[in-house]
Amino acid sequence: MASTTTSKQIVVASKNPVKIAATLKGFQRMFPNITCTTLGISVPSGVPEQPFTDAETLQGALNRAQNAREQAPEGDYWVGLEGGVEDTPDQTAGTLQSFAWIVVIDHEGGRIGKARTATFYQPEEVAKLVRGGMELGHADDAVFGRSNSKQSNGSVGLLTGDVIGREAYYVQAVILALIPFKNGTLSF
C-alpha cells in the first residue's frame, strides 16, 4: 500500500515568531507523518493585555483560537497561546506565578484541546512592575535591560539563562494540547 502524506494548515492566533515556531514544532513532533504549514494572524484575546488569573489566561487562549477560526476559516487547526500571571495567596517572596495556556480547535471534529505550561515564579522586581499595570514582556525588558524579549527567549529564558527558552517552554504544552487529536477515538 502506498504511503500518502497529509497536509494541514495550522492557524496560530499570533504573529509572534516564537509562538508560531513552537506551535509548528509541537504539531511536527506529535504528528510526524503530516506536513504542516502555519499562518500567524493577529486577533483579539478579549481579556486584558496582561491576564492576571489562571481563568482569565485560559479564556484569552480560547478566545484567540475561536477568533482565529472566524478570521481564517480555511485552516485545519486554530491555536491560541496566552501567557498569564497570578499572585499566590501566601505572603512570601516570589508570589507572582507565570504560565501560559494553549488551546487547539480542529476543523473536522469540533474538538478542543487544552494544556497549561509549567509554572514558575517571577522575581519581585518584575512582579512589582506587572502588579503596577505593565505587561510581563515589557517588565522583563525593563528589569533585564532587553528589548522585545517576548519575541525571543522570554521571561523563562531570561530567568533560566536560556536553559529553557520561550519556544521550548511552549512546545511541550502544544503537544499536550494535541492529546485529544492524537487519540481521536477517545472522549475528552
Side-chain angles (χ1 to χ4, degrees):
M1 176 185 255
S3 174
T4 60
T5 302
T6 305
S7 180
K8 300 287 183 182
Q9 183 180 42
I10 305 157
V11 180
V12 182
S14 176
K15 289 193 172 190
N16 183 319
V18 173
K19 291 181 177 183
I20 294 168
T23 299
L24 181 59
K25 284 182 181 176
F27 270 83
Q28 288 172 332
R29 287 180 59 192
M30 195 66 144
F31 304 109
N33 296 325
I34 296 175
T35 301
C36 299
T37 59
T38 55
L39 170 65
I41 62 173
S42 182
V43 296
S45 69
V47 299
E49 184 177 336
Q50 180 57 71
F52 224 90
T53 66
D54 186 62
E56 196 172 68
T57 307
L58 174 57
Q59 189 63 56
L62 179 62
N63 291 349
R64 286 188 191 278
Q66 291 171 333
N67 290 338
R69 186 176 187 178
E70 289 176 18
Q71 188 171 322
E74 69 280 1
D76 295 295
Y77 294 93
W78 298 271
V79 182
L81 299 90
E82 189 75 24
V85 297
E86 185 166 61
D87 263 315
T88 56
D90 62 48
Q91 299 301 313
T92 63
T95 60
L96 188 68
Q97 300 177 8
S98 288
F99 50 85
W101 273 100
I102 293 27
V103 172
V104 180
I105 300 173
D106 80 329
H107 188 269
E108 296 167 5
R111 286 183 181 257
I112 296 179
K114 298 179 277 190
R116 187 177 138 160
T117 62
T119 300
F120 63 97
Y121 288 87
Q122 290 294 330
E124 196 55 34
E125 294 83 353
V126 172
K128 284 179 185 176
L129 294 173
V130 173
R131 288 184 192 112
M134 191 178 284
E135 189 265 334
L136 178 59
H138 299 295
D140 285 335
D141 288 347
V143 170
F144 292 100
R146 296 285 305 274
S147 177
N148 203 19
S149 61
K150 67 183 182 177
Q151 289 200 1
S152 61
N153 59 349
S155 188
V156 70
L158 292 169
L159 292 170
T160 65
D162 290 323
V163 172
I164 300 173
R166 193 170 190 213
E167 183 180 305
Y169 180 66
Y170 286 148
V171 168
Q172 188 178 58
V174 170
I175 291 168
L176 296 173
L178 291 172
I179 287 173
F181 310 104
K182 182 82 166 183
N183 298 278
T185 60
L186 301 174
S187 299
F188 286 87

